[in-house]
Amino acid sequence: MSSAVVLAGGGVTGIAWETGVLFGLEESGQGVVSSADLIVGTSAGSTVGAQVLSGTSLLELYERQLSDTHQEISPHINLESLALIFGELAAGGTSSDEQRARIGEIALAADTVPVADRRAVIDWRLPSHEWPRTPLILTAIHAHTGKFVTWTKDSDVSLVDAVASSCAVPSVWPCVEIHGELYYDGGLRTSTNAHLAEGYDTVTIIAPLTQGISPLIADEIAHLRSTGSVVNIITTDAPAIEAMGLNSLDPSFRRVAAEHGRRQGNSAHQQR
């Protein structure tokens, strides 16, 4: 029986919550990382995927989320730009290159922190800068064409660049240059990109979906099930959503997000 784990986007608090969920699942004897044949990571999930496959224990990764010592940046958020981007996401994602190219225009024009400062954050996040042995697929979007792309260990892209591009929230963080092209956050297709797990017998989706399951994500799940996959999904419950606050990029909520993730992982409340 083959298994895949899909780790969704969700900002800094999403990283903490997903780490907590994975640790809680392991604590309760339902760990999914050690048996995974594939991990798909988008945005926050790209960070978590690279972390959990680095050889670092889930306990250590969880404890990092509880620590007040970190190198995360609290960004300035341009609400006008975000409003334009959210206008393209009525269905909870995008369905065309044209939509994503329009978002790319906003991303490319944005005034963000320096590229080097942002890269230092990604460097700090990753315990290892080498691609893992377990297959890991990370997602990004070409800023000019809107084309959805995936990175693997065979893509001739460094793990740090792959994660940075997947986490490059448009208008918040700078686009990431890879081989002379610019890329931004793969979560602007959908925050899960669960379609990449097609063909696996069991698919576990861990997603901090504070607005619920969007139509596009629901379609991805339905397609996986129609092709024979057993899909389990763990999403943020009401107490977690309330505790984690409105700004998923605020690092001061890392601890509470991780603690709620651990609680949910231990209870393994899954929607089937």
Side-chain angles (χ1 to χ4, degrees):
M1 296 284 286
S2 60
S3 65
V5 177
V6 174
L7 301 170
V12 173
T13 59
I15 293 172
W17 179 83
E18 290 178 18
T19 302
V21 169
L22 291 170
F23 178 52
L25 286 171
E26 182 179 75
E27 276 189 306
S28 62
Q30 302 178 80
V32 294
V33 173
S34 61
S35 61
D37 299 297
L38 170 72
I39 288 185
V40 176
T42 291
S43 198
S46 71
T47 293
V48 179
Q51 288 176 335
V52 300
L53 294 180
S54 69
T56 307
S57 72
L58 281 168
L59 171 60
E60 182 177 341
L61 293 171
Y62 176 75
E63 289 177 339
R64 286 184 66 179
Q65 295 302 324
L66 303 184
S67 174
D68 292 329
T69 301
H70 62 82
Q71 295 184 30
E72 299 290 349
I73 301 171
S74 295
H76 169 72
I77 296 177
N78 185 320
L79 296 179
E80 182 178 352
S81 294
L82 281 183
L84 292 173
I85 292 169
F86 284 129
E88 299 283 354
L89 305 177
T94 55
S95 56
S96 70
D97 291 352
E98 290 76 17
Q99 280 182 291
R100 293 186 283 270
R102 289 195 294 269
I103 294 171
E105 291 178 5
I106 299 170
L108 292 166
D111 181 19
T112 67
V113 302
V115 170
D117 291 357
R118 176 58 175 166
R119 185 181 177 86
V121 173
I122 306 301
D123 281 342
W124 169 79
R125 284 180 182 174
L126 303 186
S128 170
H129 292 177
E130 301 298 321
W131 283 91
R133 291 184 179 182
T134 299
L136 174 66
I137 299 177
L138 306 181
T139 68
I141 294 169
H142 192 288
H144 286 101
T145 67
K147 180 182 178 182
F148 177 75
V149 301
T150 58
W151 310 123
T152 70
K153 64 182 178 182
D154 298 321
S155 297
D156 191 27
V157 174
S158 77
L159 182 61
V160 173
D161 282 341
V163 172
S165 67
S166 190
C167 292
V169 180
S171 85
V172 176
W173 306 122
C175 294
V176 174
E177 183 174 350
I178 297 176
H179 300 321
E181 305 290 339
L182 292 168
Y183 298 88
Y184 69 84
D185 190 334
L188 276 293
R189 182 189 176 277
T190 75
S191 67
T192 57
N193 294 305
H195 68 291
L196 295 172
E198 182 177 347
Y200 286 79
D201 297 317
T202 301
V203 179
T204 300
I205 301 173
I206 299 175
L209 301 176
T210 56
Q211 302 299 315
I213 298 175
S214 73
L216 289 176
I217 292 175
D219 287 346
E220 289 182 340
I221 294 170
H223 177 73
L224 288 172
R225 287 174 171 157
S226 72
T227 56
S229 297
V230 175
V231 181
N232 301 319
I233 179 166
I234 303 175
T235 66
T236 36
D237 61 13
I241 292 170
E242 182 177 2
M244 288 161 64
L246 297 176
N247 182 3
S248 65
L249 300 177
D250 186 342
S252 67
F253 286 87
R254 291 162 61 250
R255 172 185 285 271
V256 69
E259 291 172 340
H260 275 279
R262 181 183 184 183
R263 170 185 59 78
Q264 287 195 254
N266 268 290
S267 63
H269 176 63
Q270 299 182 343
Q271 302 167 5
R272 296 179 183 270

